[in-house]
Amino acid sequence: DPYANDPKRHKVLKVNGPKPFCGETPGPLLCESFLTPADTFYVRNHLPVPEIDIKDYELEIAIEDDTKKVINFENIKKYPKYTITTAIMCNASWSGARLTDVLADLKINEDDWKHVQFEGYDLDPSGVPYGGSIPISRALDPRADIILAYEMNGEPIPRDHGYPIRAIVPGVVGARNVKWLAKIVISNEESRSQFQRGDYKGFSPSVDWDTVDFSKSPAILDMPVTSAICTPTPGEIVKLKDGKIPVKGYAWSGGGKKIIRIDLTVDQGKTWHVAHQLIDDENAKEGRHWSWTLWSAEIPIDVDKNEVEVWVKAVDASYNVQPESFENIWNLRGLLCNAYHRVNVKVKK
Ligand code: MTE
Ligand code: MO
């Protein structure tokens, strides 16, 4: 069993797939703390977790097929340490070396290259590593805050989350935040990985597995605006407080866009209520809002109602807003499906 040496996981994680491991953090835990603790942080692996001895760890940096340097863990720690808070499904602070610092001595001209590829130490049965890539303009932009992280919430990164080094590409789909980083390649081509070219792309709702052409859709980079209700949970019985129900959740948008407003309704959109409290990273600079926003609201409920459906939508700094229904955006991989989150709750007076 190639998964026999995977780490032990926290028992609260809702297991969507055991091998490779995919486990979700329960909703109510998400809004309990601004930084999600590492042991209950969402885990998404596509392959067995590699076993890496920090003494042997090496990161190779190449321009196309030409290896430019090989650095070890101590070399990476010598670069200035930089900390950012960013959401990759859950929210954590990550510390490490800036990608721009590590690449600086290569003197790369942005106009000569198109992509920066990342490869992991995790291998499929035929020996092909997990991989992904990002555009060169993003990789070389110091404001993109990309780091080669060695700490998560101030501690060494746990095995499941990329020990000892992972790429943190804030504002971008999780898939490009390559864990167990083995290699960085400056290239004119996107990563050849299946996860870059044959997965993590969006399609029109009627495209099916017979008609899909992965080569025609760009790889997902920045994520669309989204939000979710964490409490109450579906079907929960909620006691009214001064005629209102308390609702809490998170919201997030890709590309560093700040969440500016959260709208909620309990009457299918006839009347909307605005969340009064929004907590985000107060140190985030303009256009670099990588963390999620936790929000809370109290919604007035009609006296005759015993049951309501709460809907939430978030608005980001570009006034992007979530679409109303999943039907019109659904696609065969189920990705990017950022329609309103709806939760049915029972009301107790
Ligand atoms: N990196 C490697 N090497 N292998 C992987 O399977 N999964 C990716 C990404 N990086 C993956 C990877 C995906 S799809 C996601 S959503 C994030 O890691 C999940 O990061 P997490 O498990 O720390 O939450
Ligand atoms: Mo993912």
Side-chain angles (χ1 to χ4, degrees), residues 16-264:
N16 291 332
K19 297 173 184 184
F21 189 78
C22 177
E24 268 178 48
T25 316
L29 279 187
L30 292 177
C31 63
E32 253 177 32
S33 57
F34 185 65
L35 298 181
T36 316
D39 60 346
T40 55
F41 196 97
Y42 174 75
V43 177
R44 177 67 168 112
N45 297 337
H46 294 81
L47 299 163
V49 177
E51 284 185 276
I52 300 171
D53 188 330
I54 198 146
K55 295 193 297 297
D56 305 330
Y57 174 81
E58 284 184 341
L59 172 64
E60 182 186 338
I61 299 172
I63 299 183
E64 299 285 24
D65 295 331
D66 192 5
T67 301
K68 291 295 176 187
K69 56 179 177 178
V70 178
I71 55 178
N72 63 23
F73 189 74
E74 287 310 313
N75 301 146
I76 294 173
K77 288 194 82 170
K78 284 195 184 114
Y79 289 97
K81 184 175 175 180
Y82 197 71
T83 300
I84 56 161
T85 301
T86 184
I88 336 168
M89 308 317 294
C90 297
N91 206 46
S93 78
W94 300 89
S95 310
R98 296 172 79 126
L99 179 63
T100 50
D101 289 344
V102 175
L103 297 182
D105 59 348
L106 269 62
K107 310 232 176 330
I108 301 154
N109 181 349
E110 200 181 305
D111 297 329
D112 295 342
W113 304 103
K114 293 201 178 78
H115 303 277
V116 171
Q117 307 175 354
F118 300 115
E119 262 178 41
Y121 271 107
D122 47 338
L123 308 173
D124 75 10
S126 63
V128 175
Y130 181 92
S133 59
I134 57 171
I136 189 91
S137 54
R138 181 71 62 105
L140 296 183
D141 181 359
R143 292 187 188 86
D145 288 328
I146 300 163
I147 57 176
L148 308 183
Y150 44 80
E151 282 176 13
M152 176 183 192
N153 295 339
E155 304 281 339
I157 300 177
R159 279 188 67 209
D160 258 336
H161 299 292
Y163 178 85
I165 301 281
R166 89 178 286 176
I168 290 292
V169 189
V172 163
V173 66
R176 318 296 171 227
N177 289 252
V178 175
K179 306 193 266 193
W180 315 293
L181 192 61
K183 194 170 176 185
I184 299 175
V185 186
I186 316 300
S187 177
N188 273 317
E189 276 196 66
E190 268 188 296
S191 165
R192 290 188 169 275
S193 169
Q194 153 75 7
F195 303 104
Q196 182 74 19
R197 299 202 181 185
D199 200 343
Y200 294 103
K201 296 187 172 193
F203 303 97
S204 190
S206 296
V207 169
D208 60 26
W209 287 106
D210 293 328
T211 58
V212 67
D213 181 351
F214 274 91
S215 72
K216 295 269 160 60
S217 290
I220 302 169
L221 192 67
D222 295 332
M223 289 292 273
V225 60
T226 194
S227 63
I229 295 162
C230 296
T231 61
T233 53
E236 195 174 321
I237 303 165
V238 184
K239 194 155 168 41
L240 282 187
K241 255 175 49 198
D242 304 326
K244 296 174 176 172
I245 56 166
V247 183
K248 280 185 176 188
Y250 68 82
W252 186 71
S253 189
K257 293 191 169 79
K258 185 181 168 75
I259 295 296
I260 61 161
R261 203 181 73 225
I262 305 294
D263 295 330
L264 296 128

Side-chain angles (χ1 to χ4, degrees), residues 301-312:
I301 304 293
D302 281 351
V303 281
D304 57 327
K305 288 267 163 58
N306 296 317
E307 203 171 338
V308 290
E309 194 173 60
V310 188
W311 296 4
V312 65

